Amino acid sequence: TFALVACSQMESLALAEASPKQPNVVLIMADDLGAECIGAYGGKSYETPRIDALAAQGMRFENAFSMPLCGPTRACILSGRYPFRSGVTTNQGVQGFNIPWGRGDKPEITFAHLMKAQGYATAIAGKWALCKFDKSPDHVKECGFDSYRLWPRSTRGR
């Protein structure tokens, strides 16, 4: 069996082995895509057969709230904390990501940390945008993920 955690782009998915007694977990966060676009929620904008199949076999959420920017949304979904509590209230992060998100006096506990504590292997794919990878190359692992396939935040090629 597999635990599957995906972030940002629905085409970007990463797989990690999980214990056979645990349920599979799939989390998909898609930027700029509303439920009204997905077939499982009655949407007609796009054909989404694989997402529809996942929804038919698992748990679906009918009510959710989102932040108006992708950076605060990521920090919120990873930690379960409002952006003003996690320090990521803009797409520039904590001091322009000179301090990677989740570090500091009290490091953030992410859902990946909690899943690992329950025996899951964790993986993430897509857009990270919570640090500068050249300054914090182990940030994703520090946030609890065993493996990842991400593209970093960049500003004009830096």
Side-chain angles (χ1 to χ4, degrees), residues 7-8 27-33 64-84 86-93 97 101 111 124 127-130:
C7 185
S8 184
L27 171 64
I28 299 171
M29 185 182 101
D31 288 347
D32 302 321
L33 178 71
F65 300 93
S66 179
M67 307 304 129
L69 298 168
C70 60
T73 298
R74 277 182 185 74
C76 183
I77 204 164
L78 284 166
S79 67
R81 291 167 29 110
Y82 290 112
F84 70 91
S86 71
V88 181
T89 57
T90 71
N91 280 341
Q92 305 314 311
F97 290 114
W101 172 79
F111 71 81
I124 190 166
K127 184 168 77 172
W128 185 245
L130 292 171

Side-chain angles (χ1 to χ4, degrees), residues 37 48 98 107 115 151:
C37 297
T48 55
N98 288 322
M115 297 293 282
W151 58 90

